[in-house]
Amino acid sequence: MTIYLEMPRLNPDLGFRFLKNKGDILTTPHWHREYELILITNGKVNLGINDNQYQLKTGNMAFFKSGDVHYIVATPETNRYVYQFDMSLFNETIVEKIHLVNKLNELSQVSLFWDDKINDKMKEILLTIANEEDSDGVDRDFVVEGLMYTLVTLMIRKLPKDDEIQQPKINIKSKAILETLNKVFRFVEVNYQEKITLEDVSMTAGFSPYYFTRFFKKNVGQTFVEFLNNYRIDKAKWEIINTDVSISSILNQ
């Protein structure tokens, strides 16, 4: 699976960010140091976390831990709320005293495994945060911080751990789509600096160029050429920010 580092721009005064995302565009496989929760507010969504694939529907949630490779397949007419945070949101002494990072990293990651009552409590908190983020009250950050303390406390006390659950069987059609996209993403990751033809990537996916074109557009929300160009631009941005390679060398790759 392709591994692309994302650097979310959290509120520097809070260590938190809230987003509303539509589902018509693929969220490219990526990872980040920040933790992330998503709440599906409309429709059914196929997503991958590391080597596992899931299908979530309205009201379901997913939890991406620091360093998890994750992606969400384009699904028109779906919506989700996104909550990103890092440890700067919490008191440093408390984080260390209760070993918060270790406790979060032990948790299972999709609400398919969580108790319904806990799901309802978490959804209520997440929706309250969303409402606060839509307001312009002077106490908004204070309220959001308090709600996040409550939410994370509920998670580490009540959610099952990874080793306590059994992975569900994903819909065969959804699994086939995700596995095919994984092949394409891996191919792009290895070869994005080289010339990639539609015939090359279609062969990797096991499709004819005509069928692959339709398949990719339907499930990613953009053409393969658009995706490849955007991927190359994102890679170049990352290298400019995180390496000592000159801009001219990066542009000539």
Side-chain angles (χ1 to χ4, degrees):
M1 182 181 293
T2 182
I3 302 177
Y4 169 68
L5 172 63
E6 181 186 82
M7 291 170 284
R9 295 183 179 181
L10 305 184
N11 178 341
D13 297 325
L14 191 60
F16 175 83
R17 181 169 75 156
F18 170 73
L19 302 166
K20 294 180 181 180
N21 283 353
K22 294 183 178 181
D24 54 347
I25 296 294
L26 167 81
T27 299
T28 308
H30 65 285
W31 66 277
H32 41 70
R33 298 182 182 90
E34 294 74 14
Y35 292 85
E36 180 176 321
L37 273 159
I38 65 168
L39 170 63
I40 310 302
T41 57
N42 182 56
K44 292 182 179 179
V45 172
N46 292 319
L47 59 85
I49 308 175
N50 298 319
D51 294 324
N52 297 312
Q53 295 87 35
Y54 307 96
Q55 185 176 82
L56 305 183
K57 61 182 180 180
T58 302
N60 288 159
M61 292 163 280
F63 174 49
F64 307 134
K65 304 170 188 175
S66 176
D68 280 340
V69 178
H70 54 282
Y71 60 92
I72 302 177
V73 176
T75 312
E77 300 181 3
T78 64
N79 295 281
R80 59 186 178 271
Y81 289 169
V82 180
Y83 307 77
Q84 297 174 329
F85 64 95
D86 61 19
M87 290 301 107
S88 68
L89 175 65
F90 308 105
N91 178 279
E92 182 178 355
T93 301
I94 294 176
V95 168
E96 294 180 358
K97 184 177 181 179
I98 69 171
H99 305 290
L100 181 57
V101 171
N102 290 340
K103 289 184 177 181
L104 287 173
N105 289 340
E106 292 175 344
L107 300 179
S108 65
Q109 298 185 265
V110 290
S111 60
L112 303 175
F113 308 121
W114 307 344
D115 180 82
D116 289 342
K117 291 183 179 180
I118 304 303
N119 287 354
D120 290 341
K121 289 181 180 179
M122 289 184 61
K123 282 186 286 186
E124 181 180 354
I125 296 171
L126 291 173
L127 291 173
T128 303
I129 292 173
N131 290 333
E132 285 293 330
E133 285 290 322
D134 285 339
S135 73
D136 56 1
V138 295
D139 60 350
R140 180 181 63 184
D141 287 356
F142 179 77
V143 174
V144 169
E145 183 176 7
L147 288 166
M148 285 299 297
Y149 266 90
T150 302
L151 177 71
V152 171
T153 299
L154 183 62
M155 291 172 63
I156 62 176
R157 285 185 172 181
K158 299 296 184 179
L159 293 188
K161 297 180 181 180
D162 262 335
D163 58 7
E164 296 174 343
I165 55 93
Q166 183 175 359
Q167 296 293 336
K169 294 183 179 179
I170 190 172
N171 175 277
I172 293 176
K173 182 177 179 181
S174 299
K175 183 176 182 180
I177 290 172
L178 294 171
E179 289 178 345
T180 300
L181 288 174
N182 273 340
K183 292 178 183 178
V184 175
F185 298 149
R186 284 196 297 267
F187 180 80
V188 171
E189 170 69 12
V190 173
N191 298 288
Y192 74 93
Q193 293 179 326
E194 310 295 332
K195 180 180 178 181
I196 297 178
T197 67
L198 185 59
E199 288 73 17
D200 291 335
V201 71
S202 299
M203 186 179 298
T204 298
F207 297 146
S208 69
Y210 173 76
Y211 184 83
F212 174 77
T213 299
R214 296 178 60 192
F215 168 86
F216 197 85
K217 175 70 174 180
K218 177 180 179 181
N219 291 290
V220 179
Q222 54 188 311
T223 68
F224 176 74
V225 173
E226 290 171 335
F227 168 80
L228 180 60
N229 288 339
N230 290 332
Y231 185 90
R232 285 168 169 163
I233 291 171
D234 286 341
K235 277 289 190 178
K237 288 179 181 177
W238 187 89
E239 291 189 22
I240 289 171
I241 294 172
N242 294 280
T243 71
D244 296 325
V245 180
S246 67
I247 294 177
S248 59
S249 297
I250 292 172
L251 294 178
N252 289 328
Q253 288 181 353

